[in-house]
Amino acid sequence: MSRRQVFYDLLSELEQERRKDTDKLFDKLQENYGLRHQSYVNYSLAAGRQNALDLHHTFPEEFVKLYKEKDLHLTDPIAQSGLSGIKPVHWQKYRNEPSAKFLFSLASQFGITDRGLTIPLLCRGSQAAMYSINADVPQKDWFKYRTEYIGELQILATYLHSARQELAQEDETPELTARESEVLTWTAAGKSYWEISMILGISERTVRFFMTNTRNKMGVVTNSQAVAQGVWRGIIPL
Amino acid sequence: MSRRQVFYDLLSELEQERRKDTDKLFDKLQENYGLRHQSYVNYSLAAGRQNALDLHHTFPEEFVKLYKEKDLHLTDPIAQSGLSGIKPVHWQKYRNEPSAKFLFSLASQFGITDRGLTIPLLCRGSQAAMYSINADVPQKDWFKYRTEYIGELQILATYLHSARQELAQEDETPELTARESEVLTWTAAGKSYWEISMILGISERTVRFFMTNTRNKMGVVTNSQAVAQGVWRGIIPL
DNA sequence: AAGAATACTGTCGCAACCGACAGTACCCAC
DNA sequence: GTGGGTACTGTCGGTTGCGACAGTATTCTT
């Protein structure tokens, strides 16, 4: 069966919502798209809480372990572009970037080449996700490969993402109380504890109390970090 | 020139960021993908800028006027799915939906068929965007059409969207240097000045210097406020 | 040659943050 | 009626943020 035919079949299945089994879709992609490695990652929470991420990949375990240990997701320009941008990211664009130097050299030790592609995926509110592939093609065929496959890969990744989102339905967004989100919102607006206490007509100590609860619930350590999460999740109306 | 060749050329151009002219891309799509109509719409959901609606389309003006007048976007199940979902929406899925009954009958008066597709687009912050097409094909070819084109349409719509986002941001987004956004990002990740100085290998004073510049450029008074703006504007990769 | 923009560093000092120790009062569910 | 969640308040003391006073070095433009 040709790859094009595989794509047609997969698409028909996905459109009819008959496929909820993301593992099989992953395998189909692996088999039919000349992939060396692929990964789907969904950061439910921002930096600092790695336990709440949905990661599915075929990269060498040892590599992923090192990647996590060294917090490379914070410096990796590919991950950054993938999580903040809209367009697909060509790994080679960052080949000579100083911030990616270590990453590429580490990757090559595990047989990962720079013929890779990272597709940002659509998330509502609380998350950021991306799908990456490392193709098993020589450099000379790389342009043709990605031009040929990128459309199909993006649409399939979209469906993969959608399915995993549906599966992981349980909402991890911590519920802030009315007061907590109120105080968080004023903090995002640049007010100090004292100012907020005046605005809300409560004591400064109480404002602190709410912010402490907010930080704890969000699993963050500073107010700035809480604000980042709050804006990201749409808790804070700007 | 075959459509496939057109796609290849467009993709090469878009990947090299040579194309900022979204109108031309729109025209190319219109010409080469058998489209009757197409539309790109970006709703900015921010409280501050409620009237910011980026709409670009080839639908009959009279139809769009009626659509707006009757606030159909509030009942239109296709728009709803497009703005809240992840997967592409097939218009026909809602053909027999009561809430879409009026819409479809209105549309048909303007020569708009139900062979349409709406692709949700990725937005950061409180925005939502989608790209829709109405194909100029008979019902019998519709399945083949969308299976054949959906991948290409999604990827091209992604680039169209990205370009329009960039244009929209150039207006008001300041201007942070590499170091400034780097420091802002680490702040949003909950790091203290001292920690950031260790991470970046510069003095703590210099970290403060960059954050002070960032605050001044953004016109805000606290780091938390700067982080809120940064996340909102997509400066900060989470 | 002068000016502007960027990257960087130093010290003083107060305001603000934030953890850890306390509490009180209300409401709702089991 | 006891346990748990929310709303609130107080004090102590160390840490961090941040303004205001300083600078130097490099690069790019006019």
Side-chain angles (χ1 to χ4, degrees), chain A:
Chain A
M1 192 155 64
S2 76
R3 192 211 78 255
R4 194 75 190 165
Q5 190 57 48
V6 170
F7 173 69
Y8 279 26
D9 291 350
L10 280 173
L11 199 58
S12 307
E13 249 186 276
L14 292 162
E15 282 181 352
Q16 278 152 51
E17 309 192 41
R18 267 193 281 127
R19 178 182 284 277
K20 278 277 193 285
D21 186 350
T22 60
D23 286 336
K24 276 209 182 127
L25 177 54
F26 219 72
D27 291 344
K28 287 263 186 188
L29 280 158
Q30 190 79 27
E31 282 167 34
N32 294 285
Y33 283 81
L35 304 179
R36 182 166 294 178
H37 300 298
Q38 60 181 328
S39 75
Y40 167 84
V41 58
N42 187 337
Y43 288 86
S44 300
L45 298 162
R49 283 192 79 174
Q50 287 141 351
N51 51 339
L53 62 78
D54 180 12
L55 175 63
H56 196 192
H57 70 94
T58 64
F59 283 87
E61 286 298 340
E62 186 64 22
F63 171 75
V64 174
K65 191 171 154 240
L66 283 168
Y67 189 98
K68 284 181 180 171
E69 268 174 13
K70 298 204 179 292
D71 278 336
L72 288 181
H73 64 286
L74 292 172
T75 53
D76 177 358
I78 296 166
Q80 303 222 346
S81 304
L83 291 174
S84 68
I86 289 169
K87 292 180 289 190
V89 182
H90 292 305
W91 293 5
Q92 289 186 344
K93 188 180 165 192
Y94 297 97
R95 195 169 31 187
N96 297 318
E97 204 83 354
S99 55
K101 196 122 189 154
F102 175 72
L103 179 67
F104 275 118
S105 72
L106 181 67
S108 70
Q109 292 171 30
F110 289 94
I112 301 162
T113 69
D114 60 2
R115 266 88 73 194
L117 204 58
T118 290
I119 299 169
L121 296 169
L122 199 161
C123 289
R124 299 296 175 190
S126 62
Q127 296 159 334
M130 56 190 178
Y131 173 76
S132 303
I133 60 112
N134 185 217
D136 195 12
V137 295
Q139 181 59 36
K140 69 177 172 56
D141 299 329
W142 172 232
F143 173 78
K144 188 171 185 307
Y145 174 94
R146 67 173 203 249
T147 312
E148 177 84 18
Y149 290 10
I150 192 170
E152 295 177 21
L153 285 172
Q154 194 196 22
I155 201 83
L156 292 174
T158 299
Y159 279 106
L160 169 70
H161 175 50
S162 176
R164 286 193 86 88
Q165 287 284 81
E166 280 167 32
L167 288 175
Q169 198 62 306
E170 84 260 13
D171 202 0
E172 318 125 330
T173 303
E175 258 183 61
L176 298 184
T177 67
R179 277 309 208 196
E180 284 161 2
S181 54
E182 210 168 0
V183 168
L184 180 61
T185 301
W186 284 112
T187 301
K191 304 296 180 190
S192 69
Y193 286 161
W194 183 83
E195 288 174 306
I196 297 171
S197 79
M198 289 298 108
I199 291 165
L200 299 181
I202 55 180
S203 84
E204 190 179 333
R205 176 64 187 85
T206 306
V207 176
R208 273 182 52 206
F209 173 75
F210 289 136
M211 271 310 293
T212 304
N213 286 345
T214 302
R215 281 195 307 275
N216 290 341
K217 282 185 181 176
M218 286 179 153
V220 302
V221 294
T222 66
N223 284 357
S224 291
Q225 203 180 355
V227 165
Q229 299 254 335
V231 173
W232 180 252
R233 295 178 180 181
I235 296 170
I236 297 171
L238 275 183

Side-chain angles (χ1 to χ4, degrees), chain B residues 13-61:
Chain B
E13 249 187 276
L14 292 162
E15 282 181 352
Q16 277 154 52
E17 309 192 42
R18 267 193 279 128
R19 178 181 285 277
K20 276 278 192 290
D21 187 349
T22 59
D23 286 335
K24 276 211 183 123
L25 176 54
F26 220 70
D27 292 344
K28 287 264 187 187
L29 280 158
Q30 190 79 29
E31 282 168 33
N32 294 285
Y33 282 82
L35 303 181
R36 183 165 292 176
H37 301 297
Q38 59 180 329
S39 76
Y40 167 83
V41 58
N42 187 337
Y43 289 90
S44 196
L45 306 171
R49 8 175 152 166
Q50 271 167 353
N51 298 328
L53 170 72
D54 183 10
L55 175 63
H56 196 193
H57 70 96
T58 64
F59 283 87
E61 286 299 339

Side-chain angles (χ1 to χ4, degrees), chain B residues 3 46 59 73 75 94 97 109 112 160 163 166 168 180 185 188 191-192 222 225 230 235:
Chain B
R3 192 212 77 254
F59 283 87
H73 65 284
T75 53
Y94 297 97
E97 218 54 22
Q109 291 171 31
I112 301 163
L160 169 69
E166 278 169 32
E180 283 161 1
T185 300
K191 304 297 181 188
S192 69
T222 65
Q225 204 179 355
I235 296 168

Side-chain angles (χ1 to χ4, degrees), chain B residues 89-220:
Chain B
V89 182
H90 293 305
W91 293 5
Q92 289 186 345
K93 190 179 163 192
Y94 297 97
R95 193 168 33 187
N96 298 318
E97 218 54 22
S99 56
K101 197 116 188 157
F102 175 72
L103 180 68
F104 275 117
S105 73
L106 180 68
S108 70
Q109 291 171 31
F110 288 94
I112 301 163
T113 70
D114 61 1
R115 267 87 76 196
L117 206 56
T118 291
I119 300 168
L121 296 168
L122 200 161
C123 286
R124 304 294 177 189
S126 307
Q127 293 180 324
M130 55 190 179
Y131 173 76
S132 302
I133 60 113
N134 184 218
D136 195 11
V137 295
Q139 181 59 38
K140 69 175 172 58
D141 298 331
W142 172 232
F143 173 77
K144 189 170 185 306
Y145 174 94
R146 67 172 203 249
T147 312
E148 176 85 20
Y149 289 12
I150 191 170
E152 295 177 19
L153 285 172
Q154 194 196 23
I155 200 85
L156 292 174
T158 299
Y159 279 107
L160 169 69
H161 175 50
S162 175
R164 288 194 84 89
Q165 287 284 81
E166 278 169 32
L167 288 176
Q169 284 206 343
E170 275 167 20
D171 302 339
E172 37 192 309
T173 301
E175 89 286 312
L176 296 185
T177 67
R179 276 311 209 193
E180 283 161 1
S181 55
E182 211 167 359
V183 168
L184 180 61
T185 300
W186 285 110
T187 300
K191 304 297 181 188
S192 69
Y193 286 161
W194 183 83
E195 288 173 306
I196 298 170
S197 78
M198 290 297 106
I199 292 164
L200 299 181
I202 56 182
S203 83
E204 191 178 334
R205 176 64 187 85
T206 306
V207 176
R208 275 180 53 206
F209 173 75
F210 289 136
M211 270 311 292
T212 303
N213 286 346
T214 302
R215 281 194 307 276
N216 290 339
K217 283 183 179 178
M218 287 180 153
V220 302

